[in-house]
Amino acid sequence: MKLAVVGDALLDVDLSGGAERLCPDAPVPVVDVAARKCRPGGAALAAVLGDASGADVTLITGRSDDSAGRELERLLAARCVLLDAPFSGGTPSKTRVRADGQSLVRLDVGDGVVPDLPLAAGLFEALRSADAVLVADYGRGITRNSWLRRELARLPSDVPLVWDPHPRGAEPVPRTDLVVPNHAEALSFGAGSGTAEGAEALRLRWGCGAVAVTMGARGAVVSPPGELLRAPELMGRRPDVCGAGDSFAVSVTLALGRGVPLLEAVRYGVDCASRFVAEGGAGAWACDGSEPPPPRPGPSFSRVEQVRSWGGRVVAAGGCFDLLHPGHINLLNRARSLGDALVVCMNSDESVRRLKGPPRPVVHAEDRRCLLEALECVDAVAEFDETSPSRLLEQLRPDIWVKGGDYEPDQLPESRVVERHGGRTVLVPLVDGYSTSRILRDLEHGGRIRRECHGRAG
């Protein structure tokens, strides 16, 4: 999918260390800086999150040829196509000083803005070729550019346009499909409290298709239809909300670009943002040019919630599902027959590599997910990085946990998680003759895949 992100790029800097004494000339802590980490912020963070979700991202933004602007270019080089809009002034940079994990002060520098001047033709071509467009406004002038606004208003109706507004920015163009202010921003726009009535008032004011007011740990209020979509309980040990709004906006935009209905797309965004915060937020990254990708978007549990709302039974099944074969299909069909919704908990590539050793996995996670999601019996696929899916199951809390019959219950630490939430574990017998490991051995020796082989279906 081609995602165009339009907005104000910032350079975020974290200075972290310890504070064990006070300054002699003022009652303030002295921070002994142990580390300096840089990361893309603002619209640049949204672009990186889009790239980490598998999109081909183009970022349309403004920056200067100063140290912050060049650092942003370096951090974004492998993540997206960077297209520069006219810019006047210094590249915005925000530096957080942290001691023992606690933010003490933030220092903002850079007064640059995007003036109302014509844009290069390449920027318009990037918008016209996009499958979805996200506007990430951080009040630096790009949303006031009249040439850009006209182009956004002319986007085809089948290209989702999501607008993340800012109180100092321009109002969304009426063509916008979804505007996603947070609660504080909604109040500054005169929406009153975070209610469906407030969201609807903003929708009427802007003339857009829908408004979703994000409410932090409470979830998001969406109008229409005027519904509160609740966030899952955060599981992280060090929650940090920095970047949560960008995670939400990107996830919703990509979901809409894939044709997901509005409410389900917003619910997906709430799930993704909650997991992002639980994993440590944007501040958890080590941005020295080799930083790991941000946490993967969590699964959309909308189907799970629907089933639970009428007393249905949720089933989860886990495994690597490398080289999908009839043994896997039998396991998943049997699992689905035990309840009303089936969520597959799938090992990530790194998790498979730890369990099976190189050269596994043969099929990368994105393709394994695609195959599983194509199965009629599967309602959702959730990927996890750990050796055990216990952490994921804490969030999902299935009524039934299904594994292949080649395991013993005491070999499954996740069973204790399921039982603690009132669920139970079911072992499904394997289909004789199917094993990924045996298939690979047969292929390696030039033999045919034989049904008479025996082994673990994983």
Side-chain angles (χ1 to χ4, degrees):
M1 177 188 296
K2 293 182 179 180
L3 172 66
V5 177
V6 180
D8 306 296
L10 317 171
L11 178 66
D12 284 345
V13 181
D14 284 341
L15 299 178
S16 58
E20 299 179 351
R21 64 190 191 281
L22 295 177
C23 181
D25 56 354
V28 295
V30 175
V31 179
D32 295 313
V33 176
R36 179 181 186 272
K37 297 178 181 179
C38 297
R39 49 188 167 80
L45 172 59
V48 172
L49 289 168
D51 170 74
S53 298
D56 294 325
V57 182
T58 297
L59 172 61
I60 299 173
T61 190
R63 62 187 177 93
S64 290
D65 186 22
D66 52 16
S67 59
R70 291 189 292 272
E71 180 71 5
L72 270 176
E73 183 177 17
R74 184 184 72 85
L75 292 172
L76 294 170
R79 302 288 195 174
C80 65
V81 175
L82 181 60
L83 299 180
D84 289 323
F87 199 71
S88 175
T91 304
S93 177
K94 299 181 178 182
T95 301
R96 292 195 302 176
V97 180
R98 299 168 63 85
D100 301 317
Q102 175 66 48
S103 291
L104 301 181
V105 67
R106 195 183 83 183
L107 310 175
D108 291 4
V109 297
D111 58 355
V113 295
V114 174
D116 191 17
L117 295 175
L119 306 180
L123 279 65
F124 295 149
E125 293 171 2
L127 286 175
R128 293 165 187 162
S129 64
D131 299 309
V133 177
L134 169 63
V135 176
D137 187 1
Y138 278 78
R140 295 289 178 162
I142 195 166
T143 57
R144 297 188 182 277
N145 185 282
S146 56
W147 281 266
L148 177 63
R149 292 181 68 84
R150 282 194 293 270
E151 196 64 30
L152 291 172
R154 294 170 181 167
L155 286 173
S157 59
D158 61 345
V159 176
L161 172 59
V162 177
W163 198 292
D164 191 355
H166 192 281
R168 294 199 303 267
E171 294 199 345
V173 298
R175 156 67 180 82
T176 306
D177 296 290
L178 177 66
V179 185
V180 291
N182 62 33
H183 187 208
E185 290 164 346
L187 291 175
S188 71
F189 296 134
S193 61
T195 62
E197 291 77 11
E200 177 63 10
L202 288 177
R203 188 188 72 83
L204 294 174
R205 168 181 167 175
W206 292 326
C208 58
V211 169
V213 179
T214 55
M215 307 291 292
R218 291 177 55 197
V221 176
V222 188
S223 182
E227 183 174 343
L228 173 62
L229 305 181
R230 298 191 179 278
E233 183 180 353
L234 299 181
M235 299 302 300
R237 296 181 179 178
R238 46 172 186 172
D240 186 343
V241 299
C242 182
D246 297 292
S247 174
F248 173 80
V250 169
S251 302
V252 170
T253 305
L254 293 178
L256 291 173
R258 293 192 294 266
V260 176
L262 175 68
L263 274 182
E264 186 175 344
V266 174
R267 196 185 305 274
Y268 175 70
V270 169
D271 288 344
C272 291
S274 297
R275 182 177 178 187
F276 183 79
V277 170
E279 293 284 347
W285 299 4
C287 297
D288 57 359
S290 59
E291 70 272 16
R296 293 181 183 86
S300 173
F301 290 147
S302 58
R303 172 61 177 161
V304 171
E305 293 176 3
Q306 291 171 5
V307 168
R308 284 195 170 126
S309 69
W310 49 264
R313 180 178 294 170
V314 176
V315 182
C320 300
F321 301 100
D322 197 12
L323 285 182
L324 197 64
H325 55 64
H328 293 136
I329 304 301
N330 175 74
L331 173 73
L332 296 175
N333 280 328
R334 292 283 298 276
R336 182 61 175 80
S337 70
L338 297 172
D340 304 289
L342 172 62
V343 179
V344 176
C345 302
M346 183 188 77
N347 297 73
S348 70
D349 287 344
E350 182 58 33
S351 178
V352 175
R353 197 170 295 116
R354 288 195 301 268
L355 286 169
K356 306 291 185 179
R360 304 285 295 276
V362 177
V363 181
H364 292 303
E366 184 176 344
D367 295 325
R368 288 186 283 128
R369 174 190 288 270
C370 179
L371 292 170
L372 288 168
E373 289 177 340
L375 299 176
E376 186 176 357
C377 61
V378 175
D379 293 277
V381 177
E383 186 177 336
F384 62 94
D385 288 314
E386 301 84 1
T387 303
S388 163
S390 295
R391 185 177 180 183
L392 178 59
L393 292 172
E394 285 278 8
Q395 181 183 358
L396 180 59
R397 300 189 300 277
D399 299 289
I400 298 176
W401 169 241
V402 174
K403 286 291 289 186
D406 53 343
Y407 290 94
E408 295 296 332
D410 58 3
Q411 294 178 302
L412 301 173
E414 63 268 23
S415 292
R416 292 190 291 273
V417 175
V418 174
E419 291 168 3
R420 188 166 65 250
H421 292 289
R424 61 189 177 93
T425 298
V426 173
L427 300 181
V428 174
L430 299 181
V431 177
D432 288 342
Y434 292 104
S435 161
T436 300
S437 300
R438 182 60 181 270
I439 289 172
L440 291 175
R441 286 196 298 270
D442 286 347
L443 291 174
E444 182 180 0
H445 292 89
R448 300 179 64 186
I449 300 173
R450 301 188 296 273
R451 274 190 55 89
E452 65 269 21
C453 65
H454 297 276
R456 175 176 298 179

